[in-house]
Structure formats: C-alpha cells, structure tokens
C-alpha cells in the first residue's frame, strides 16, 4: 500500500491533470489579488478585503474548484489506467484490488489537498494581510477550518467520482452535470431535496465556521428556509453524513474492480 | 505448476471469446497458436485473472484465478498491449512492478538490474520508456515479466516488433525457462516462431481448440494443405499448359487480362524447384510470384473445413 501510494503520487505529479489543477488553484489567488488592488474603490463603504474571505472560500473553493478538480481527479482513479491501458500491470500483481483503488484515491486526495492547502494559504495571506501578522495568526482557525472542509469535501467528491469513473462511459460529463446542474439547482430550492447533495453539507459546515460573517449575507435564503421550515442539521451530523457517503462510494469503487471486467483493446 | 481448463468459455455479449475449452498444461513451454482474433489473448487474460470465465473453470494448481490475487504471486505476464507509464525509465518501470510483487526497494533494484541485463537493455534502462522503439518496449515488457523469477510465465506475442537478434535471444531464453521446469505459455500467430520454442502447442481458432499436442503432427496436417501460388508472367498460356503436366499441381486458374495464373500444389518444395527450369527452357519471364495463402489463417481454414 505504501509503495503504491508513492507510485500513484508520482504518477499524478507527472500527469497534465495536476498541472491544470494547479493552474485552476491560482484562480482564487488572482481573484484575491485583484480585490486587494481594487480596495480603494469600496473601502469607503465599510467593506474590508478581510471580510470577503468567507465568500471567496465558499464560492470559489468549496462550490467551484473543489468539485471541479474532484471530477477530474476522481474519474481518473480507475479511468486513467483503463484509458492508458496500464491496468493489466496492476491487476496481474498479487495485490488485493481494493488496495489499488484505496492507494489511488488517497494519493489523489493528498496531492489535491496539498495544492488547495497552498492555494488557500496564499489567498488567506493576501486577503487578511491588512490585519498584520497578529491578525493572520489570530484568524488561523478560519484558515484551518476552511482547509478541513475542503479536504473532507475532496474525499467525498473523489470517492463519488471514482465510482462514476469506473462505472460509466462519460463520467466527466455526468460529473459536471451532477455538480453544476443538480447540486447548483437543488441548493437554491426550498425544502429538503438539498439533503441529496454533497454541497449542502459542506455549506452547513462553512456557515457554522464563518458564523455571523456569513449567515447574514444571504437574507433571501434565510427567508426561504423560514417560509418552508427547512431544518438545518448540526455540524457533527453533516460531518458524519459526509464520511458515510465517502465510505459507501469507496466501498462501491473497490467492489467495482472485483466485479467489472475491463476489456482493453490495442490502441 | 499445473494449469487446467474445464469447459472454459468466455463471451463478450454475443461475441465468443473462447468456447468450451478443455486442456491441461504441465511444465515446459506450450505455444498458443492461432491467427489474429482466434482467442489467444482472451485465454491469456483469463489465465491472469483479468477476465472472469463466463462458463467453466480455469485452475492453476487447483486454484481458481479470477479474484484470487494470491495465485498471481507465481505469475509473470507480458501483455500484448504496448502501453506503459511512459514517464518512467525502463529501470523504474521494472522496479515498480517488482515492488508491486512485494519486494523491498533494495531487493527490487537488484532484481530489476538482473532482468534488464537478461533482456540486454542495460544501455537504455535509464531512458524514458516513452522514447523507446517498439522492440525495446517489447524487451522491457519481457523484463518485468521475468524479473521476479516466476514459475509461471504467460507471454502474449512476445516477439512482436523485435529485431532478429532480439527475437533469437528471446526464443533462446523462453526455451531455457522451459528447460528449468517453469510453465511457459507463449501465444503467437507465427508458426515457425512457435516451432523454434517448443513442440507442444494448442491450436486455437474462433475461440475453439482445433488441435492439441505435438507440433509435428499438426505440421503433417498442414503439409497436406495445398499451397496456392500466384504467378505473373509474359506467357501465361504456355506456362499454364506446362504447369498442368506437373503431377503435384492440383489446379490452375488463368487470368488472361492480368497475365496472372494461380495454381494449387500439394508439394510446394518440388514446385519451387522445377519452376525456374521450366521458365528457362521455354523462355518464359516470371515477373512476379507469391503465395496468397502462406499464412496460418489459410491453414486454419483448411483444418476447420
């Protein structure tokens, strides 16, 4: 497992996908830098750059970059070896098939997690620099909490898309539809249907983390929730549900390699 | 090591991969011989646990192969697919596959070097596989198959793309493995290649086992198969009448428009010996001569008929 983990990390580092993910991880950094440059335009209205950090974290990282990178990384867990026709080298070794899936998943999560860790750190420093070093350290829990949510979300999305990648013929397309079609639409609907999305639970965790800074920014949603009496679950319950979803899809992905045959033709 | 197939079938939807195969293979080299699409690769994929039998059993030393990764400890596999993690060097690739077999990095280093030496790839071991020629890729694939010294070797068209020297040394190596009491299965669609490695073959076509056993017995069947020879000449009429006088010529088909005749002979050697003499004596120019069915496929067709 240890060797396979290192092998797949190296594999991932050498893939174009990782370069693209790294480039995409620059988007929030550039966005933060632009906000900083435009600061004089809105400083009169009492809005600080620092106060926008939760919005940047939630909308750019949690709702956009996290699922998008997970689609490309997750569908590649089995899909890469199938498309690259290197699967026979793995399947004809005395290694349990679940170990192959787990090693690839963990290496994917570790590498993407590291990219996000750095990207978010730079964004955090740029946006919170007005409070000085003392402020940066004081708000470190916000940074650590955000990276925790991102990492948890990464594990859940990766396991889901890993399963899709092993099962479906066009997993990226279906993944994109799931994330930016289903999840985006449903999260704005009142009622309980949003409980069938991953983003909802991540949103709950983010809301609790940013507390007063964030909940007040979305009065329409608060009103809708009030009207339709949609109950919000606790952070602990959200974490448990996300972990359970991850476990189910890791299990299903590993089982897939035991059940499904991959008939690889010459390229 | 003993391999046993009982009633073994594999279908891909409506398509038959292999059909109702029954065989037992003991140690030594065995050739899977058959034309492209005969079911050789399917059989090797079943043997390496990549595919699940649709019907019947496939056992290695009494153990089923599908979803039984322990069996693979004893298996070395050289796939037909020419794909790699191209960013790896040849050495890194062989070492990685050894580590997947549970060897420590230091053990893997030693074994990888040995295997690369055996396959005569030392000069290129530190170059990326992406830059390798077809023959080099084939040799590095062989190196990863033999590196852990497995008692069972499954080699899918191992000589594909190799240069004559590489072919020679690989054939010798395969024979050597057979003499060491390893069980080696080599698939090929080229009869003389297999002949050089072993005299035990399984002849497969359209997923069925056509013949099993000694290659010389099968050779005899093949020798009874009339060989077609096509000739383009400036005097096809005279050539046709002269050729019909040969006892071994079964039939002659004349195509005047293209100055071409196609004959069927039961004794190709005799025919090829006498033809130049005939041409000289009658001042006939042979512009072109080839055998359209000098391949295994036609032999299989003949055997199936």
């Amino acid at each position: 497992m240890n060797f396979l983990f290192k092998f797949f990390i190296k594999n991932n580092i050498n893939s174009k996908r990782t370069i693209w993910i790294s480039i995409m991880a620059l988007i929030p950094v550039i966005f933060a830098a632009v906000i900083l440059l435009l600061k004089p335009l809105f400083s009169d209205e009492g809005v600080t750059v620092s106060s926008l950090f939760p919005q940047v974290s939630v909308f750019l990282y949690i709702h956009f970059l996290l699922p998008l990178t997970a689609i490309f990384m997750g569908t590649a867990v089995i899909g890469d070896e199938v498309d690259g026709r290197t699967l026979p080298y793995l399947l004809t070794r005395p290694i349990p098939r679940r170990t192959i899936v787990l090693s690839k998943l963990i290496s994917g999560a570790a590498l993407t997690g590291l990219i996000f860790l750095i990207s978010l750190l730079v964004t955090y420093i740029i946006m919170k620099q007005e409070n000085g070093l003392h402020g940066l350290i004081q708000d470190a829990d916000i940074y650590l909490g955000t990276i925790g949510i991102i990492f948890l979300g990464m594990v859940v999305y990766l396991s889901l898309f890993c399963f899709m990648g092993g099962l479906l013929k066009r997993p990226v397309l279906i993944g994109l539809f799931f994330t930016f079609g289903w999840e985006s639409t449903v999260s704005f609907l009142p009622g309980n249907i949003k409980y069938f999305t991953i983003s909802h639970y991540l949103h709950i965790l983010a809301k609790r983390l940013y507390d007063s800074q964030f909940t007040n920014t979305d009065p329409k949603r608060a009103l809708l929730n009030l009207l339709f009496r949609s109950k919000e679950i606790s952070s602990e319950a959200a974490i448990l549900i996300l972990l359970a979803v991850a476990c189910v899809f890791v299990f299903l992905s590993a089982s897939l390699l035991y059940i499904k045959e991959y008939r690889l033709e010459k390229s | 090591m003993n391999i046993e197939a009982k009633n073994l079938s594999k279908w891909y939807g409506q398509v038959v991969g292999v059909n109702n195969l029954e065989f037992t293979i003991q140690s030594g080299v065995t050739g899977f011989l058959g034309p492209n699409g005969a079911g050789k690769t399917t059989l090797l994929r079943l043997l390496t646990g990549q595919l699940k039998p649709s019907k019947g059993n496939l056992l290695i030393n009494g153990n089923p192969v599908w979803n039984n990764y322990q069996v693979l400890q004893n298996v070395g596999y050289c796939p037909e697919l020419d794909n790699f993690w191209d960013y790896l060097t040849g050495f890194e690739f062989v070492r990685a596959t050894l580590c997947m077999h549970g060897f420590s990095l230091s053990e893997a280093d030693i074994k990888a070097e040995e295997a690369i030496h055996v396959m005569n790839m030392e000069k290129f071991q530190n170059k990326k596989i992406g830059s390798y020629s077809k023959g080099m890729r084939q040799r590095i694939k062989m190196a990863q198959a033999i590196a852990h010294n497995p008692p069972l070797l499954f080699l899918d068209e191992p000589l594909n793309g190799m240069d004559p020297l590489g072919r020679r040394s690989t054939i010798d190596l395969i024979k050597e493995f057979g003499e060491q009491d390893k069980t080696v299965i080599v698939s090929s669609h080229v009869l003389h290649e297999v002949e050089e490695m072993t005299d035990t073959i399984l002849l497969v076509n359209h997923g069925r086992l056509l013949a099993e056993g000694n290659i010389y017995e099968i050779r005899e069947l093949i020798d009874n198969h009339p060989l077609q020879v096509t000739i383009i000449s400036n005097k096809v009429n005279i050539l046709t009448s002269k050729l019909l006088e040969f006892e071994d010529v079964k039939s002659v088909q004349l195509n005047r428009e293209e100055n071409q005749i196609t004959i069927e002979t039961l004794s190709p050697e005799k025919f090829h010996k006498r033809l130049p003499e005939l041409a000289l004596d009658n001042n006939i120019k042979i512009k072109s001569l080839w055998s359209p069915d000098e391949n295994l496929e036609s032999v299989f067709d003949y055997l199936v008929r």
Side-chain angles (χ1 to χ4, degrees):
Chain A
M1 176 103 173
N2 191 26
F3 169 78
L4 275 184
F5 170 74
K6 287 181 199 162
F7 179 72
F8 291 132
I9 284 272
K10 197 176 170 191
N11 229 336
N12 277 327
I13 289 171
N14 280 284
S15 77
K16 282 183 190 159
R17 188 181 317 104
T18 307
I19 298 169
W20 278 110
I21 290 174
S22 307
I23 292 170
M24 282 199 296
L26 286 175
I27 294 172
V29 176
I30 295 166
F31 190 77
V34 170
I35 292 176
L36 193 66
L37 285 172
L38 299 177
K39 184 180 157 187
L41 295 178
F42 53 80
S43 56
D44 292 346
E45 292 165 31
V47 181
T48 60
V49 176
S50 171
S51 68
L52 295 173
F53 181 72
Q55 275 80 358
V56 170
S57 302
V58 170
F59 293 110
L60 274 181
Y61 280 101
I62 296 172
H63 286 320
F64 176 65
L65 279 179
L66 168 63
L68 190 65
T69 52
I71 287 171
F72 290 107
M73 209 52 142
T75 53
V77 169
I78 300 171
D80 246 13
E81 308 300 335
V82 174
D83 294 342
R85 292 171 178 80
T86 43
L87 197 61
Y89 295 118
L90 298 171
L91 296 187
T92 56
R93 308 288 151 191
I95 316 166
R97 294 185 176 195
R98 64 174 176 274
T99 308
I100 298 170
V101 175
L102 276 177
S103 310
K104 282 212 85 173
L105 260 177
I106 296 170
S107 67
L111 192 68
T112 346
L114 182 71
I115 293 169
F116 275 98
L117 190 94
I118 297 165
S119 166
L120 189 74
L121 181 67
V122 179
T123 307
Y124 174 77
I125 291 170
I126 292 172
M127 296 193 80
K128 296 272 182 180
Q129 51 79 40
E130 60 193 0
N131 302 336
L133 185 64
H134 179 70
L136 282 173
I137 295 166
Q138 205 173 26
D139 284 347
D141 56 333
I142 294 283
Y143 168 72
L144 292 174
T146 309
I147 203 70
I149 294 168
I150 289 173
F151 197 76
L152 180 61
M154 183 58 73
V155 171
V156 183
Y157 276 120
L158 273 181
S159 55
L160 168 69
F161 295 130
C162 169
F163 177 64
M164 282 187 179
L167 188 72
L168 305 169
K169 281 210 166 151
R170 295 182 192 282
V172 173
L173 212 65
I174 294 165
L176 286 170
F177 172 76
F178 172 81
T179 311
F180 298 106
W182 169 256
E183 290 215 310
S184 300
T185 312
V186 162
S187 67
F188 289 104
L189 293 177
N192 294 329
I193 196 165
K194 55 181 171 266
Y195 287 113
F196 293 99
T197 66
I198 294 168
S199 64
H200 176 66
Y201 300 100
L202 295 174
H203 200 85
I204 288 172
L205 294 175
K207 253 166 105 174
R208 299 276 153 75
L209 177 69
Y210 304 127
D211 203 10
S212 57
Q213 295 177 59
F214 189 68
T215 42
N216 297 337
T217 59
D218 203 353
K220 277 185 222 154
R221 183 170 300 183
L223 184 66
L224 280 171
N225 281 340
L226 192 72
L227 283 172
F228 291 92
R229 298 186 182 280
S230 172
K231 271 201 273 178
E232 282 214 341
I233 57 168
S234 67
S235 301
E236 291 79 7
I239 292 170
L240 279 177
I241 289 168
L242 287 172
L243 288 175
V245 171
C247 288
V248 167
F249 282 108
V250 167
F251 174 77
L252 288 175
S253 306
S255 305
L256 207 59
L257 265 193
Y258 281 95
I259 302 161
K260 201 174 170 195
E261 297 166 305
Y262 294 90
R263 192 182 164 201
L264 308 177
E265 296 303 333
K266 269 198 233 179
S267 48
Chain B
M1 286 269 166
N2 176 352
I3 299 166
E4 202 179 353
K6 289 178 190 167
N7 225 353
L8 180 69
S9 297
K10 177 70 197 170
W11 306 295
Y12 305 105
Q14 300 280 320
V15 181
V16 176
V18 292
N19 192 14
N20 231 0
L21 298 186
E22 294 264 355
F23 59 81
T24 304
I25 295 171
Q26 307 284 355
S27 59
V29 182
T30 302
F32 278 175
L33 194 60
N36 291 327
K40 304 182 300 285
T41 297
T42 299
L43 202 46
L44 285 174
R45 286 182 185 172
L46 285 161
L47 280 165
T48 48
Q50 295 175 75
L51 296 176
K52 184 185 178 186
S54 307
K55 205 182 112 197
N57 288 314
L58 187 59
L59 308 169
I60 293 181
N61 272 1
N63 300 305
V65 192
W66 172 250
N67 270 344
N68 187 0
Y69 68 90
Q70 281 104 336
V71 168
L72 299 170
Q73 191 74 50
N74 296 316
V75 170
Y77 173 56
C78 175
E80 186 199 21
L81 295 170
D82 188 35
N83 297 79
F84 300 85
W85 295 284
D86 280 341
Y87 68 88
L88 293 177
T89 65
F91 179 79
E92 286 170 336
F93 172 64
V94 179
R95 184 176 61 181
T97 57
L98 279 162
C99 289
M100 289 176 200
H101 264 276
F103 290 99
S104 69
L105 215 55
S106 54
E107 285 172 323
D109 278 348
I110 297 165
K111 286 188 179 291
E113 264 176 30
E114 282 170 5
I116 284 169
H117 170 73
V118 169
M119 291 314 298
N120 204 12
M121 281 290 288
E122 299 101 315
K123 267 193 216 164
F124 314 102
Q125 65 174 12
N126 294 321
K127 286 193 173 166
K128 292 214 160 118
I129 299 178
S131 69
Y132 280 7
S133 68
K134 169 88 178 151
M136 285 150 80
R137 291 160 85 90
Q138 203 66 25
R139 277 191 275 164
I140 210 71
K141 252 196 302 187
M142 273 293 290
Q144 64 80 34
I146 64 170
H148 54 291
N149 196 23
L152 260 175
L153 265 170
F154 300 129
L155 313 173
D156 200 351
E157 304 270 2
L159 305 180
N160 258 2
M162 278 192 189
D163 56 76
L165 271 177
R167 272 168 188 261
R168 186 70 264 154
S169 58
T170 308
I171 288 171
D172 290 343
L173 185 70
I174 292 170
K175 279 163 78 176
E176 206 181 302
F177 286 142
E179 284 156 14
Q180 288 167 9
D181 230 24
K182 289 179 191 288
T183 305
V184 187
I185 293 178
V186 190
S187 86
S188 176
H189 62 280
V190 184
L191 181 63
H192 68 86
E193 264 179 19
V194 178
E195 253 178 333
E196 286 187 74
M197 296 176 208
T198 179
D199 54 10
T200 310
I201 63 164
L202 294 178
L203 197 63
V204 284
N205 194 26
H206 298 304
R208 288 188 302 130
L209 190 62
L210 293 186
E212 181 186 4
N214 191 291
I215 201 161
Y216 302 108
E217 290 162 15
I218 290 157
R219 250 293 184 207
E220 266 179 39
L221 283 173
I222 291 166
D223 287 343
N224 290 332
H225 163 59
L227 182 84
Q228 283 194 342
V229 180
T230 301
I231 303 164
I232 295 180
S233 163
N234 60 339
K235 293 177 182 172
V236 281
N237 289 337
I238 301 170
L239 189 60
T240 304
S241 65
K242 293 284 174 194
L243 284 174
L244 280 169
E245 288 169 14
F246 289 3
E247 274 171 24
D248 55 283
V249 174
K250 268 183 77 180
S251 68
V252 181
Q253 279 181 319
L254 178 62
N255 182 347
R256 281 205 184 89
E257 280 174 20
E258 295 184 19
N259 286 329
Q260 183 180 309
I261 53 170
T262 301
I263 63 108
E264 273 193 323
T265 171
L266 286 167
S267 177
E269 265 182 51
K270 252 190 196 174
F271 176 81
H272 285 298
K273 247 185 207 170
R274 283 185 304 189
L275 186 67
E277 205 176 309
L278 177 86
L280 269 176
D281 291 350
N282 297 283
N283 200 21
I284 298 170
K285 235 186 208 171
I286 307 283
K287 290 184 182 167
S288 183
L289 180 145
W290 74 94
S291 178
D293 68 351
E294 208 166 44
N295 57 53
L296 266 180
E297 196 119 20
S298 59
V299 174
F300 288 108
D301 287 346
Y302 176 70
L303 288 174
V304 175
R305 256 188 267 143

